[in-house]
Structure formats: structure tokens, C-alpha cells
């Protein structure tokens, strides 16, 4: 009865925390707190410099307390639940001192240790030449989908051979549980002599983390400062500094036959926060996958958006993909060639009519619909339709451009090949374009 009464009527989690360790000569004390509502037997292990390991139990019903041992050697560590018997949500608070591990490049997530990573960075393009540098990263657990790490940060530094400049970048993210359990903060700063960005995001989850149906609200501030447009396509870039407050609502839902996700967003560019432009924007993006069977489906993406006020060229809505100012790889968005994010790398954004990849067609208003068919492995035919214009009432906006092609997909890697396109006044034509892309969600299918 005592065991089931602690579990079946309870609604909270099971979690214990080791909140402090003290030593006074041969007397050693560990302070424990029960964080969750559910109680279970608790065991502690004291490890000493002479190799001795002493174990003690703690009273179940108490909300907090102290466990004491007597031993003449120096105390090295204390571990709560050393045999991992508890069904805890958080094991990070079960050890003093914290355990830290160091790994080159990659390692599987560790529930008990703070992980540090390091590695080299290397890239080449015609504008920068060789880009060589390195990065370091720290994380408590990790960030992936519904799994939320704490105190996750990354720092990188690279130097380019042709431009002879340094490009540092830092980012940090963590939950804010002292406000509520589903609130998170993320901040990032990136700098080069030619461009800089600063970003801060507050993200509030509105539903339980592991539910298939979920919703999230994001409030963010983004400062983009482009001081030198050298090597960027003048059809899409100009010297500009924008400061934008953004609000996004994201949602997901899944049934046996239908999987949906999407976002609604609004933005306000303000000079008072360091920008050079006053503007407003709104956009809607929705995804749906209709399943016929486990490996057969039809996918649909819908987009509509507009922007009013004074905006630089890079803030417009693009017919193919979108533009992202990043100092680490500005060449990816700057010019034609294999590294161009508008020509040979596919990023699903804006209208996404892939038949116009690399042509930088844009306007203040845009809409689009993208379809793909998943019937046989690897090969996925697609069809895109949409248009952009500066005037929302212009007849040209309602007359769609269309393209069709095929995607070759293998797990998380894919290649898009637009083969035909049609536009008002010009009719249809055969084309050949290619774009590579990565979809990390595809790792689940590997």
C-alpha cells in the first residue's frame, strides 16, 4: 500500500536533488531536497580519497534533509542514486561535484555529466578563400526536438585567407525554470568586419513536451547590420541595419493519417532599437503530410506573407527560398556558384518556387503552394506554384508561376532537380537546375 499510494494518486514528477556537500574534518554531510511530488527510496554514495565508498539511505517522507557520515579521508564526491533505481526526469542534480567530460567532435548524450566538445572548422569559397578556425561547445544533455538541454553554448572563431579578417561567433541557450518549466531563453552574437547580428529569443511551450499535439510561442529581437555588400548580388543585398521585434506561434498535430505543423508570425522593424528602417510584416506557413501507408504520402506546404513600410532589399519575400545574413558563410547567400544558397543549396523558405532558384525574384507580397508525392523509395516528384509582387492588388500577383521536378532523397540527404517551369506571358519551358539539401529529421528513417 505504501508504495502504490505514492505513485497512483500522484500527479507530479519524481526528482531528487543533491543541493550541497560540506566537510568538517572527519564529518561529511550531504544536503538533499525532494523536488518532485513522488517519493521513492533514496540512497547516497560517499567516495573518499582512500578509495572507500560508504552508502546511506534518506527518509522517504521528508521534503529536505541531511545525511551524515564519519570517515577520516578527504571526500571526493557524493552521488545520489548511484545504481540509477529512481525514475527521475533530471539526473544532472544527483552528483557533487559536477562531472565534466571532454570529447572531440561528437558523443552520445550523457544524463549525468556536463559535456564539452571541440573541433576544427574549414571551408573554401572564391570570395573568402580558405576559412580555417575551430569551435568549442558545452551542453548539459542536448537540444533535439522535444529534448531540452540546459546551459548549452557554442563559440567559434575562423580566419579567412583572402579577406584577412577574423569571424567570431557565440551562442547560449537554457530553460528558465525559476519562471516556469516551459520557458526557454536563447541568445546569439555573430561578428565579422563586414556584417554582424545579435539575436535574443524567449520561447514558451504551451503543451506537454512529449505530446504529438503541441504549441509554442516565441518572442524575439534580431539586429542585422550589413556594412559591406561586396560579393553579394546587388539584386538582393544593400548596406542596411535592421532591428526587428518578432512574434511567432508554432503548432504541431499528428494522427494516424495526417501530420500537420506550421507557424504564424508577425514582425515590427523599429529605428528606436538600433535599426534604420520602420516596417511591419506578417506571414503564414503550414505543412501537412497525408499518409496512405507507412511509406506512402502526399506532402503540402502553404505560404502567404507581406511586408509594409521601408525595407532593404534583403528583407523582401523571395520567389525561390529566402535570404539569411550570416557572417560565418556570407558567400552561401552572396553570388552564383556551388555555394550559393539561392542557387545550389535548398532552404525551404518564402514562396519556394524552385524553378527560379538563383534568380533573386522578390516582392513585398507573396504566396505559394508546394506539393510532393512519396510513393516509391528515393524518388519524390514535386510541383510548386506561387508568385511575388510589390502591390498586393496587382493582377500579376494572382497569376501564378509554376514549376515541376523530382527530388532524389536518401534518408536525411536530398537533391532537387526542377525540370519544367511556366510563367504568365512566357509559357512553359524545359529547364535543368540542381540543389542539395539536408533534413535532419530524416535521421529517424536512416
Amino acid at each position: 500500500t505504501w508504495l502504490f499510494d505514492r505513485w497512483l494518486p500522484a500527479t507530479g514528477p519524481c526528482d531528487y536533488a543533491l543541493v550541497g556537500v560540506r566537510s568538517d574534518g572527519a564529518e561529511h554531510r550531504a544536503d538533499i531536497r525532494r523536488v518532485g511530488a513522488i517519493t521513492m527510496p533514496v540512497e547516497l554514495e560517499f567516495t573518499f580519497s582512500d578509495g572507500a565508498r560508504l552508502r546511506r539511505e534518506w527518509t522517504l517522507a521528508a521534503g529536505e534533509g541531511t545525511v551524515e557520515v564519519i570517515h577520516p579521508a578527504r571526500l571526493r564526491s557524493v552521488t545520489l542514486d548511484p545504481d540509477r533505481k529512481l525514475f527521475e526526469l533530471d539526473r544532472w542534480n544527483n552528483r557533487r561535484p559536477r562531472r565534466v567530460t571532454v570529447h572531440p567532435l561528437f558523443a552520445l548524450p550523457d544524463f549525468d555529466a556536463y559535456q564539452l566538445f571541440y573541433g576544427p572548422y574549414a571551408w573554401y569559397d572564391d570570395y573568402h578563400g580558405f576559412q580555417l578556425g575551430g569551435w568549442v561547445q558545452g551542453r548539459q544533455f542536448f537540444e533535439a526536438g522535444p529534448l531540452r538541454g540546459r546551459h548549452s553554448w557554442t563559440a567559434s572563431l575562423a580566419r579567412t585567407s583572402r579577406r584577412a579578417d577574423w569571424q567570431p561567433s557565440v551562442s547560449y541557450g537554457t530553460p528558465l525554470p525559476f519562471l516556469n518549466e516551459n520557458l526557454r531563453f536563447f541568445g546569439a552574437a555573430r561578428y565579422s568586419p563586414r556584417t554582424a547580428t545579435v539575436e535574443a529569443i524567449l520561447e514558451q511551450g504551451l503543451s506537454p513536451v512529449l505530446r504529438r499535439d503541441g504549441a509554442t510561442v516565441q518572442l524575439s529581437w534580431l539586429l542585422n547590420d550589413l556594412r559591406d555588400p561586396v560579393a553579394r548580388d546587388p539584386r538582393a543585398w544593400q548596406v542596411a541595419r535592421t532591428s526587428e521585434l518578432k512574434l511567432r506561434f508554432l503548432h504541431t498535430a499528428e494522427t494516424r493519417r495526417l501530420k500537420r505543423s506550421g507557424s504564424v508570425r508577425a514582425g515590427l522593424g523599429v529605428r528606436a532599437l538600433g535599426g534604420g528602417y520602420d516596417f511591419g510584416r506578417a506571414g503564414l506557413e503550414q505543412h501537412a503530410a497525408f499518409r496512405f501507408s507507412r511509406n506512402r504520402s502526399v506532402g503540402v506546404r502553404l505560404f502567404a506573407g507581406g511586408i509594409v513600410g521601408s525595407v532593404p532589399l534583403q528583407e523582401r519575400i523571395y520567389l525561390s527560398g529566402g535570404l539569411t545574413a550570416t557572417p560565418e558563410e556570407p558567400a552561401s547567400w552572396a553570388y552564383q556558384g556551388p555555394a550559393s544558397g539561392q542557387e545550389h543549396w535548398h532552404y525551404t523558405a518564402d514562396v519556394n518556387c524552385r524553378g527560379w532558384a538563383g534568380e533573386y525574384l522578390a516582392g513585398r507580397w507573396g504566396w505559394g503552394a508546394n506539393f510532393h508525392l512519396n510513393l516509391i523509395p528515393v524518388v519524390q516528384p514535386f510541383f510548386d506554384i506561387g508568385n511575388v509582387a510589390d502591390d498586393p492588388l496587382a493582377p500579376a500577383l494572382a497569376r501564378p508561376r509554376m514549376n515541376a521536378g523530382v527530388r532524389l532523397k536518401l534518408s536525411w540527404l536530398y537533391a532537387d532537380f526542377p525540370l519544367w517551369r511556366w510563367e504568365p506571358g512566357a509559357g512553359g519551358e524545359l529547364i535543368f537546375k540542381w540543389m542539395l539539401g539536408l533534413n535532419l529529421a530524416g535521421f529517424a528513417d536512416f
Side-chain angles (χ1 to χ4, degrees), residues 229-290:
V230 172
R232 296 175 184 260
D233 195 307
R235 295 172 295 176
W237 295 96
Q238 67 183 84
V239 172
R241 185 176 69 250
T242 60
S243 179
E244 183 178 3
L245 292 173
K246 298 190 289 185
L247 180 66
R248 295 182 68 197
F249 174 78
L250 303 97
H251 66 88
T252 59
E254 186 173 356
T255 64
R256 184 169 177 268
R257 296 295 183 187
L258 176 63
K259 182 177 182 180
R260 297 183 292 110
S261 65
S263 65
V264 180
R265 62 181 180 179
L268 187 65
V270 287
R271 297 175 187 266
L273 293 177
Y277 299 83
D278 292 313
F279 60 87
R281 79 165 86 229
L284 171 71
E285 183 177 354
Q286 300 293 310
H287 297 257
F290 302 91

Side-chain angles (χ1 to χ4, degrees), residues 17-19 21 57 63 73 101 145 149 156 172 189 224 235 256 261 312 324 372 375 392 434 439:
L18 186 60
V19 295
V21 173
E57 284 195 354
T101 59
S156 65
Y172 172 80
N224 265 327
R235 295 172 295 176
R256 184 169 177 268
S261 65
T324 301
H372 74 265
L375 292 180
W434 62 269
N439 181 5

Side-chain angles (χ1 to χ4, degrees), residues 368-389:
N370 314 115
F371 305 86
H372 74 265
L373 189 62
N374 183 17
L375 292 180
I376 60 177
V378 181
V379 180
Q380 295 180 355
F382 65 80
F383 175 80
D384 304 326
I385 180 172
N387 213 342
V388 293

Side-chain angles (χ1 to χ4, degrees), residues 71-397:
H71 192 78
R74 182 173 59 87
L75 180 64
R76 282 187 171 177
S77 66
V78 180
T79 304
L80 188 153
D81 187 33
D83 297 326
R84 298 172 177 263
K85 297 177 181 178
L86 302 183
F87 300 127
E88 287 193 284
L89 292 174
D90 181 8
R91 297 194 58 84
W92 169 253
N93 53 22
N94 285 16
R95 183 182 170 94
R96 289 293 181 98
R98 306 294 195 195
R99 190 166 65 92
V100 178
T101 59
V102 180
H103 312 273
L105 300 181
F106 174 77
L108 292 176
D110 193 320
F111 287 88
D112 297 314
Y114 192 85
Q115 295 177 294
L116 296 176
F117 301 87
Y118 64 92
Y121 174 81
W123 187 254
Y124 175 83
D125 60 59
D126 292 337
Y127 171 54
H128 293 90
F130 288 103
Q131 302 170 55
L132 299 176
W135 55 269
V136 292
Q137 183 184 83
R139 72 185 186 197
Q140 179 190 331
F141 202 51
F142 76 129
E143 296 278 349
L147 301 173
R148 302 298 188 179
R150 292 189 290 181
H151 305 301
S152 301
W153 58 269
T154 301
S156 65
L157 182 65
R159 184 171 177 84
T160 63
S161 62
R162 291 190 178 179
R163 308 301 297 183
D165 57 20
W166 293 96
Q167 299 178 0
S169 173
V170 295
S171 65
Y172 172 80
T174 193
L176 302 176
F178 56 90
L179 296 176
N180 72 66
E181 290 297 326
N182 294 320
L183 181 64
R184 298 184 55 75
F185 167 79
F186 173 82
R190 306 174 182 93
Y191 174 82
S192 78
R194 290 157 185 82
T195 183
T197 63
V198 178
E199 185 175 22
I201 300 174
L202 285 174
E203 179 181 287
Q204 175 67 58
L206 302 179
S207 53
V209 171
L210 295 177
R211 283 188 55 181
R212 288 187 174 184
D213 298 351
T216 303
V217 173
Q218 289 181 347
L219 177 64
S220 62
W221 170 65
L222 175 64
L223 176 69
N224 265 327
D225 185 12
L226 177 62
R227 299 183 291 271
D228 183 354
V230 172
R232 296 175 184 260
D233 195 307
R235 295 172 295 176
W237 295 96
Q238 67 183 84
V239 172
R241 185 176 69 250
T242 60
S243 179
E244 183 178 3
L245 292 173
K246 298 190 289 185
L247 180 66
R248 295 182 68 197
F249 174 78
L250 303 97
H251 66 88
T252 59
E254 186 173 356
T255 64
R256 184 169 177 268
R257 296 295 183 187
L258 176 63
K259 182 177 182 180
R260 297 183 292 110
S261 65
S263 65
V264 180
R265 62 181 180 179
L268 187 65
V270 287
R271 297 175 187 266
L273 293 177
Y277 299 83
D278 292 313
F279 60 87
R281 79 165 86 229
L284 171 71
E285 183 177 354
Q286 300 293 310
H287 297 257
F290 302 91
R291 298 192 185 106
F292 306 119
S293 65
R294 184 177 182 275
N295 297 315
R296 291 175 173 83
S297 64
V298 172
V300 180
R301 173 184 177 268
L302 304 176
F303 168 83
I307 186 167
V308 297
S310 61
V311 293
L313 299 177
Q314 52 264 36
E315 298 295 335
R316 298 178 301 170
I317 295 173
Y318 283 83
L319 186 65
S320 174
L323 294 175
T324 301
T326 63
E328 294 93 338
E329 294 184 62
S332 293
W333 308 95
Y335 55 79
Q336 295 182 350
S340 171
Q342 274 281 333
E343 185 171 359
H344 289 313
W345 282 93
H346 180 235
Y347 303 86
T348 301
D350 293 357
V351 180
N352 204 45
C353 280
R354 285 160 277 188
W356 284 267
E359 299 184 27
Y360 295 102
L361 299 180
R364 292 175 175 268
W365 302 84
W367 65 274
N370 314 115
F371 305 86
H372 74 265
L373 189 62
N374 183 17
L375 292 180
I376 60 177
V378 181
V379 180
Q380 295 180 355
F382 65 80
F383 175 80
D384 304 326
I385 180 172
N387 213 342
V388 293
D390 284 328
D391 185 352
L393 302 178
L397 183 62

